[in-house]
Amino acid sequence: MDTLNTVLNTLTTFVKIAGGLACVWGAVTLGTNLNDHNGPGIQQGIWRMVGGGVIVAAAALFGNLAG
């Protein structure tokens, strides 16, 4: 059981990092497209940030349920 908890905690940590990177990449995309006044690119950056936030929240919730 201890090994399972270790694997789940490691997996949760990596998923949180991936979600955080998605948020950061969305912010970069948003900033770049705001500079260019590119409407669809702005929307894509916002949705990427939202998606990253959802990934982080789901990983945190799963981590709390598992551990």
Side-chain angles (χ1 to χ4, degrees), residues 11-65:
L11 183 64
T12 302
T13 301
F14 283 130
V15 172
K16 285 179 187 177
I17 291 170
L21 289 173
C23 283
V24 170
W25 188 252
V28 169
T29 302
L30 175 64
T32 303
N33 288 298
L34 277 173
N35 187 38
D36 295 339
H37 302 288
N38 181 7
I42 293 170
Q43 182 180 7
Q44 181 183 11
I46 291 171
W47 282 116
R48 186 168 288 143
M49 288 172 53
V50 169
V54 169
I55 291 170
V56 170
L61 178 65
F62 183 74
N64 287 338
L65 293 176

